[in-house]
Amino acid sequence: MARFEPELAPGETPPPASVHPRDATKDAPTSVGRFNQTIRDFVSAWGSVWIEGEITSWNLRAGNVYGRLTDPDSDASIAFRIWGSVRSRLADDLKVGDHVVASVKADYFVKSGDFSVIVSAMHPLGLGDQFERIERLRAALYAEGLFDASRKRPLPFLPQRIGLITGERSDAEKDVLRNAELRWPGVRFRVEHAAVQGERSVGEIVAALELLDADPDVDVIVIARGGGDPLHLLGFSDERLVRAVAAASTPVVSAIGHENDHPILDDVADLRASTPTDAAKRVVPDVGEQRAIVQQLRARATLRLTQRVQHDIAQLEQLRSRPVLRTPDALLDPRVHELVLLTARGRDTVDRRWDAAARQSAELRAALRALSPGATLARGYAIAYHPDGRVLRDAADAPTGSALVVTVGRGSLAARSEGELAEGPSAATAGD
């Protein structure tokens, strides 16, 4: 693809090749090359299109076909090209005058401005009705949701056994087996042969599918057939086969024909492979790739572990180089004197508090002793009790003849009251 990247000075008019056609003006036109390239980019995005017409020109040169298709209902026509690789898959009897339907992709030649189409498939219009019925069935099944991505089951990473449905001694069988074994030598297959074209094909393929689906050892099923005339691939768009694949509990891979072939089986299968060879590559992993992945993971793990160990060693060295760990005595020595001072200060504080507590205790003992009843009695006082232990507080409570117990500074004695005395100086000073 041409590149148009101008390098302009401020105020300079851009060269035509750098102007997009949509931006072209009288003063800043686009170039023919840029215009043709834009047309080519536009038509290339159309993709494949099915068109109908009559072959009005068919020229074979160097294995390729150069011709024209004309609309029978008008004078419109278009040039087409068929490359040799595609021509080998077409019907051998195509010729001028045939009414055909073709799958084409637009191609615009930038240098000369010529427009043509590249043919990837071409069939006589006699197949048109069958194709129309297939497309109606495809639309109906799509509406039912049989093509939804949510129904697609993932394929196992490494299937224990692969079920293969294909024609007996077919190239498709050889391609699948050979390429799968090259990718993973230990892969195991259970092959069920069936007719892959003709009236018996649908019934035999469905029967083989049911047989493999019922085998618990089969992890994935591949339905494979090589390319050929679209008429021979009609069985793979049969509704019975399509619904059987949709109902299968085992993942199914469709590997029918070539890249341009598109039976309905491709839409309902869990995976569509462009060719039988592609199916082998999609179903089993490549042992070399997996070993490389393992080696990469091991190398990555070794690198990460080495980096982590080196990082931890560096941190450890940093910690060891710090003064507190290199010479721990330097941290402790200044604390020794501080510890001695704190110890002496603590001992002095305890001693002072001990002495203060001792003095306070002595004072409390002296006060308690002074306030003690025994000390009062020792000074010559006495306490008189009734025999029942009541303290005599009033002389009137001890009439004449009452028995009393008198407690003095040392011991007690029995006494008998002679009655209350009249108050006088002698009574008032009796205790002094």
Side-chain angles (χ1 to χ4, degrees):
M1 179 183 297
R3 297 179 62 88
F4 305 95
E5 299 179 355
E7 296 182 359
L8 304 177
E12 181 181 354
T13 301
S18 67
V19 179
H20 194 281
R22 65 169 176 266
D23 302 324
T25 65
K26 178 181 178 181
D27 297 328
T30 188
S31 67
V32 173
R34 180 65 185 269
F35 183 75
N36 283 359
Q37 182 65 51
T38 304
I39 295 175
R40 180 188 176 99
D41 293 343
F42 178 76
V43 301
S44 296
W46 292 352
S48 296
V49 180
W50 285 95
I51 62 174
E52 175 186 345
E54 179 180 345
I55 299 176
T56 55
S57 175
W58 184 277
N59 298 313
L60 181 63
R61 295 199 301 268
N64 305 318
V65 175
Y66 300 83
R68 297 193 72 84
L69 279 179
T70 302
D71 189 342
D73 300 327
S74 68
D75 295 330
S77 66
I78 193 170
F80 68 84
R81 283 174 285 170
I82 305 176
W83 304 127
S85 58
V86 176
R87 178 175 170 272
S88 63
R89 296 189 276 109
L90 302 182
D92 295 331
D93 54 350
L94 290 174
K95 60 187 181 301
V96 173
D98 285 350
H99 199 179
V100 297
V101 59
S103 176
V104 301
K105 187 173 183 180
D107 182 43
Y108 187 81
F109 191 55
V110 174
K111 187 174 182 179
S112 62
D114 294 331
F115 182 85
S116 63
V117 293
I118 306 299
V119 176
S120 58
M122 180 178 287
H123 316 291
L125 195 60
L127 296 176
D129 294 339
Q130 292 177 334
F131 289 147
E132 184 178 353
R133 287 194 297 271
I134 289 175
E135 292 307 316
R136 286 199 300 268
L137 175 60
R138 193 192 304 272
L141 295 177
Y142 175 82
E144 288 185 29
L146 293 187
F147 303 163
D148 290 350
S150 59
R151 298 186 69 259
K152 306 295 184 183
R153 291 156 297 191
L155 271 60
F157 169 71
L158 181 59
Q160 297 298 315
R161 177 168 293 180
I162 302 172
L164 176 61
I165 301 174
T166 187
E168 187 174 6
R169 293 189 297 274
S170 64
D171 291 338
E173 177 181 5
K174 297 175 184 177
D175 289 343
V176 173
L177 296 180
R178 180 175 64 255
N179 285 281
E181 290 174 354
L182 287 175
R183 292 175 63 82
W184 198 275
V187 66
R188 295 187 301 161
F189 278 90
R190 177 178 175 180
V191 181
E192 295 293 333
H193 294 121
V196 291
Q197 67 183 58
E199 297 180 356
R200 297 185 298 110
S201 62
V202 175
E204 292 186 8
I205 294 174
V206 171
L209 176 65
E210 293 174 348
L211 189 63
L212 293 176
D213 191 35
D215 188 345
D217 293 333
V218 174
D219 296 328
V220 62
I221 299 172
V222 178
I223 302 176
R225 186 201 189 282
D229 191 278
L231 182 63
H232 298 155
L233 304 180
L234 294 178
F236 297 99
S237 295
D238 189 279
E239 185 173 3
R240 292 171 296 169
L241 175 58
V242 170
R243 292 193 179 277
V245 170
S249 59
T250 306
V252 177
V253 177
S254 173
I256 306 302
H258 298 286
E259 176 68 33
N260 294 323
D261 296 317
H262 188 199
I264 298 179
L265 178 62
D266 287 348
D267 296 320
V268 75
D270 298 290
L271 177 68
R272 187 248 179 179
S274 58
T275 62
T277 300
D278 182 52
K281 296 178 180 179
R282 305 284 292 276
V283 170
V284 295
D286 183 84
V287 65
E289 293 177 358
Q290 297 307 311
R291 286 175 176 170
I293 292 174
V294 171
Q295 289 298 114
Q296 291 175 1
L297 293 175
R298 291 180 62 183
R300 188 183 305 172
T302 301
L303 177 62
R304 293 296 298 273
L305 183 59
T306 302
Q307 291 175 343
R308 180 57 184 269
V309 171
Q310 291 175 347
H311 177 265
D312 292 346
I313 290 175
Q315 284 191 323
L316 182 59
E317 289 299 325
Q318 291 178 359
L319 291 174
R320 293 177 58 186
S321 64
R322 293 180 180 177
V324 67
L325 294 179
R326 187 176 62 250
T327 54
D329 293 344
L331 179 65
L332 297 178
D333 289 343
R335 300 294 183 180
V336 171
H337 180 64
E338 182 180 355
L339 181 61
V340 171
L341 292 177
L342 291 175
T343 302
R345 186 182 303 171
R347 184 179 295 108
D348 183 57
T349 301
V350 171
D351 290 343
R352 288 199 305 270
R353 290 186 178 181
W354 176 270
D355 293 341
R359 289 193 301 272
Q360 185 179 10
S361 178
E363 292 172 356
L364 290 175
R365 281 199 302 272
L368 182 61
R369 187 178 300 113
L371 297 175
S372 171
T376 303
L377 295 175
R379 292 201 304 271
Y381 291 90
I383 302 174
Y385 297 90
H386 289 285
D388 58 4
R390 290 181 296 113
V391 176
L392 179 62
R393 300 180 182 279
D394 191 343
D397 292 337
T400 303
S402 297
L404 297 173
V405 177
V406 179
T407 299
V408 294
R410 188 185 67 80
S412 299
L413 54 90
R416 188 172 296 277
S417 175
E418 293 295 335
E420 181 178 359
L421 297 177
E423 291 189 11
S426 60
T429 61
D432 295 338

